[in-house]
PDB file of all heavy atoms in Angstrom:
ATOM      1  N   GLU A 121     129.437  88.854  61.439  1.00  0.00           N
ATOM      2  CA  GLU A 121     129.379  88.022  60.242  1.00  0.00           C
ATOM      3  C   GLU A 121     129.250  88.907  59.014  1.00  0.00           C
ATOM      4  O   GLU A 121     129.001  90.114  59.131  1.00  0.00           O
ATOM      5  CB  GLU A 121     128.190  87.074  60.361  1.00  0.00           C
ATOM      6  CG  GLU A 121     128.379  86.087  61.481  1.00  0.00           C
ATOM      7  CD  GLU A 121     127.139  85.255  61.679  1.00  0.00           C
ATOM      8  OE1 GLU A 121     126.903  84.369  60.853  1.00  0.00           O
ATOM      9  OE2 GLU A 121     126.409  85.496  62.644  1.00  0.00           O
ATOM     10  N   ALA A 297     140.689  88.362  69.289  1.00  0.00           N
ATOM     11  CA  ALA A 297     141.296  87.947  70.555  1.00  0.00           C
ATOM     12  C   ALA A 297     142.796  88.204  70.511  1.00  0.00           C
ATOM     13  O   ALA A 297     143.412  88.527  71.520  1.00  0.00           O
ATOM     14  CB  ALA A 297     141.021  86.464  70.819  1.00  0.00           C
ATOM     15  N   ASP A 298     143.368  88.055  69.338  1.00  0.00           N
ATOM     16  CA  ASP A 298     144.807  88.195  69.193  1.00  0.00           C
ATOM     17  C   ASP A 298     145.261  89.649  69.221  1.00  0.00           C
ATOM     18  O   ASP A 298     146.305  89.974  69.751  1.00  0.00           O
ATOM     19  CB  ASP A 298     145.228  87.565  67.864  1.00  0.00           C
ATOM     20  CG  ASP A 298     146.715  87.306  67.813  1.00  0.00           C
ATOM     21  OD1 ASP A 298     147.127  86.284  68.367  1.00  0.00           O
ATOM     22  OD2 ASP A 298     147.444  88.138  67.251  1.00  0.00           O
ATOM     23  N   ALA A 300     143.042  92.875  69.468  1.00  0.00           N
ATOM     24  CA  ALA A 300     142.297  94.054  69.933  1.00  0.00           C
ATOM     25  C   ALA A 300     142.396  94.281  71.442  1.00  0.00           C
ATOM     26  O   ALA A 300     142.622  93.350  72.212  1.00  0.00           O
ATOM     27  CB  ALA A 300     140.839  93.919  69.525  1.00  0.00           C
ATOM     28  N   LYS A 322     136.301  86.355  78.189  1.00  0.00           N
ATOM     29  CA  LYS A 322     136.229  85.489  79.356  1.00  0.00           C
ATOM     30  C   LYS A 322     134.787  85.300  79.785  1.00  0.00           C
ATOM     31  O   LYS A 322     134.386  84.218  80.188  1.00  0.00           O
ATOM     32  CB  LYS A 322     137.059  86.093  80.497  1.00  0.00           C
ATOM     33  CG  LYS A 322     137.314  85.098  81.608  1.00  0.00           C
ATOM     34  CD  LYS A 322     138.580  85.442  82.377  1.00  0.00           C
ATOM     35  CE  LYS A 322     139.828  84.879  81.700  1.00  0.00           C
ATOM     36  NZ  LYS A 322     141.058  85.474  82.160  1.00  0.00           N
ATOM     37  N   ASP A 338     138.161  76.518  66.879  1.00  0.00           N
ATOM     38  CA  ASP A 338     139.566  76.930  66.944  1.00  0.00           C
ATOM     39  C   ASP A 338     140.417  75.741  67.384  1.00  0.00           C
ATOM     40  O   ASP A 338     139.945  74.611  67.418  1.00  0.00           O
ATOM     41  CB  ASP A 338     139.745  78.188  67.804  1.00  0.00           C
ATOM     42  CG  ASP A 338     139.728  77.892  69.294  1.00  0.00           C
ATOM     43  OD1 ASP A 338     139.251  76.791  69.671  1.00  0.00           O
ATOM     44  OD2 ASP A 338     140.185  78.742  70.076  1.00  0.00           O
ATOM     45  N   GLY A 341     139.861  75.063  71.873  1.00  0.00           N
ATOM     46  CA  GLY A 341     138.589  74.815  72.560  1.00  0.00           C
ATOM     47  C   GLY A 341     138.202  73.332  72.544  1.00  0.00           C
ATOM     48  O   GLY A 341     138.788  72.518  71.831  1.00  0.00           O
ATOM     49  N   ILE A 349     125.049  78.368  65.216  1.00  0.00           N
ATOM     50  CA  ILE A 349     123.864  79.082  65.673  1.00  0.00           C
ATOM     51  C   ILE A 349     122.702  78.639  64.789  1.00  0.00           C
ATOM     52  O   ILE A 349     122.806  78.713  63.568  1.00  0.00           O
ATOM     53  CB  ILE A 349     124.081  80.611  65.586  1.00  0.00           C
ATOM     54  CG1 ILE A 349     125.397  80.989  66.287  1.00  0.00           C
ATOM     55  CG2 ILE A 349     122.910  81.359  66.204  1.00  0.00           C
ATOM     56  CD1 ILE A 349     125.700  82.479  66.299  1.00  0.00           C
ATOM     57  N   LEU A 353     120.774  84.254  58.992  1.00  0.00           N
ATOM     58  CA  LEU A 353     120.789  85.704  59.198  1.00  0.00           C
ATOM     59  C   LEU A 353     119.479  86.320  58.722  1.00  0.00           C
ATOM     60  O   LEU A 353     118.903  85.879  57.731  1.00  0.00           O
ATOM     61  CB  LEU A 353     121.973  86.303  58.445  1.00  0.00           C
ATOM     62  CG  LEU A 353     123.334  85.821  58.946  1.00  0.00           C
ATOM     63  CD1 LEU A 353     124.432  86.139  57.950  1.00  0.00           C
ATOM     64  CD2 LEU A 353     123.647  86.456  60.286  1.00  0.00           C
TER      65      LEU A 353
ATOM     66  N   ASP B 227     128.689  81.804  56.162  1.00  0.00           N
ATOM     67  CA  ASP B 227     128.769  82.648  57.343  1.00  0.00           C
ATOM     68  C   ASP B 227     129.300  81.885  58.545  1.00  0.00           C
ATOM     69  O   ASP B 227     128.944  80.730  58.765  1.00  0.00           O
ATOM     70  CB  ASP B 227     127.388  83.225  57.668  1.00  0.00           C
ATOM     71  CG  ASP B 227     127.182  84.514  56.920  1.00  0.00           C
ATOM     72  OD1 ASP B 227     128.106  85.341  56.940  1.00  0.00           O
ATOM     73  OD2 ASP B 227     126.128  84.669  56.290  1.00  0.00           O
ATOM     74  N   SER B 229     128.719  81.744  61.657  1.00  0.00           N
ATOM     75  CA  SER B 229     127.843  81.114  62.648  1.00  0.00           C
ATOM     76  C   SER B 229     127.206  79.841  62.105  1.00  0.00           C
ATOM     77  O   SER B 229     126.598  79.087  62.850  1.00  0.00           O
ATOM     78  CB  SER B 229     126.758  82.095  63.087  1.00  0.00           C
ATOM     79  OG  SER B 229     125.833  82.327  62.044  1.00  0.00           O
ATOM     80  N   GLY B 257     141.394  74.990  62.143  1.00  0.00           N
ATOM     81  CA  GLY B 257     140.308  74.809  63.099  1.00  0.00           C
ATOM     82  C   GLY B 257     139.230  73.900  62.532  1.00  0.00           C
ATOM     83  O   GLY B 257     138.744  72.982  63.203  1.00  0.00           O
ATOM     84  N   ARG B 260     140.541  70.332  62.254  1.00  0.00           N
ATOM     85  CA  ARG B 260     140.538  69.673  63.555  1.00  0.00           C
ATOM     86  C   ARG B 260     139.112  69.235  63.917  1.00  0.00           C
ATOM     87  O   ARG B 260     138.882  68.087  64.287  1.00  0.00           O
ATOM     88  CB  ARG B 260     141.069  70.633  64.616  1.00  0.00           C
ATOM     89  CG  ARG B 260     140.906  70.108  66.025  1.00  0.00           C
ATOM     90  CD  ARG B 260     141.307  71.147  67.055  1.00  0.00           C
ATOM     91  NE  ARG B 260     141.159  70.620  68.397  1.00  0.00           N
ATOM     92  CZ  ARG B 260     140.525  71.262  69.374  1.00  0.00           C
ATOM     93  NH1 ARG B 260     140.010  72.451  69.169  1.00  0.00           N
ATOM     94  NH2 ARG B 260     140.423  70.713  70.570  1.00  0.00           N
ATOM     95  N   SER B 302     150.885  79.846  64.197  1.00  0.00           N
ATOM     96  CA  SER B 302     150.464  81.154  63.689  1.00  0.00           C
ATOM     97  C   SER B 302     148.968  81.384  63.773  1.00  0.00           C
ATOM     98  O   SER B 302     148.507  82.508  63.638  1.00  0.00           O
ATOM     99  CB  SER B 302     150.865  81.297  62.216  1.00  0.00           C
ATOM    100  OG  SER B 302     152.244  81.334  62.112  1.00  0.00           O
ATOM    101  N   GLU B 309     144.292  85.781  76.218  1.00  0.00           N
ATOM    102  CA  GLU B 309     145.520  85.533  76.962  1.00  0.00           C
ATOM    103  C   GLU B 309     146.398  84.528  76.245  1.00  0.00           C
ATOM    104  O   GLU B 309     147.588  84.746  76.036  1.00  0.00           O
ATOM    105  CB  GLU B 309     145.199  85.036  78.374  1.00  0.00           C
ATOM    106  CG  GLU B 309     145.061  86.202  79.340  1.00  0.00           C
ATOM    107  CD  GLU B 309     144.237  85.842  80.566  1.00  0.00           C
ATOM    108  OE1 GLU B 309     144.448  84.741  81.121  1.00  0.00           O
ATOM    109  OE2 GLU B 309     143.370  86.659  80.948  1.00  0.00           O
ATOM    110  N   SER B 311     146.259  83.540  73.065  1.00  0.00           N
ATOM    111  CA  SER B 311     146.686  83.952  71.740  1.00  0.00           C
ATOM    112  C   SER B 311     147.914  84.857  71.828  1.00  0.00           C
ATOM    113  O   SER B 311     148.808  84.790  70.997  1.00  0.00           O
ATOM    114  CB  SER B 311     145.544  84.668  71.021  1.00  0.00           C
ATOM    115  OG  SER B 311     145.680  84.534  69.628  1.00  0.00           O
ATOM    116  N   ARG B 312     147.959  85.701  72.851  1.00  0.00           N
ATOM    117  CA  ARG B 312     149.087  86.619  72.975  1.00  0.00           C
ATOM    118  C   ARG B 312     150.330  85.943  73.513  1.00  0.00           C
ATOM    119  O   ARG B 312     151.442  86.432  73.353  1.00  0.00           O
ATOM    120  CB  ARG B 312     148.698  87.794  73.879  1.00  0.00           C
ATOM    121  CG  ARG B 312     147.818  88.802  73.150  1.00  0.00           C
ATOM    122  CD  ARG B 312     146.926  89.590  74.066  1.00  0.00           C
ATOM    123  NE  ARG B 312     145.635  89.765  73.424  1.00  0.00           N
ATOM    124  CZ  ARG B 312     145.098  90.954  73.129  1.00  0.00           C
ATOM    125  NH1 ARG B 312     145.718  92.049  73.452  1.00  0.00           N
ATOM    126  NH2 ARG B 312     143.936  91.012  72.524  1.00  0.00           N
TER     127      ARG B 312
END
Side-chain angles (χ1 to χ4, degrees):
Chain A
E121 294 174 75
D298 197 81
K322 194 154 275 164
D338 79 343
I349 309 182
L353 297 165
Chain B
D227 272 314
S229 70
R260 171 186 181 229
S302 293
E309 270 158 44
S311 207
R312 283 154 219 240

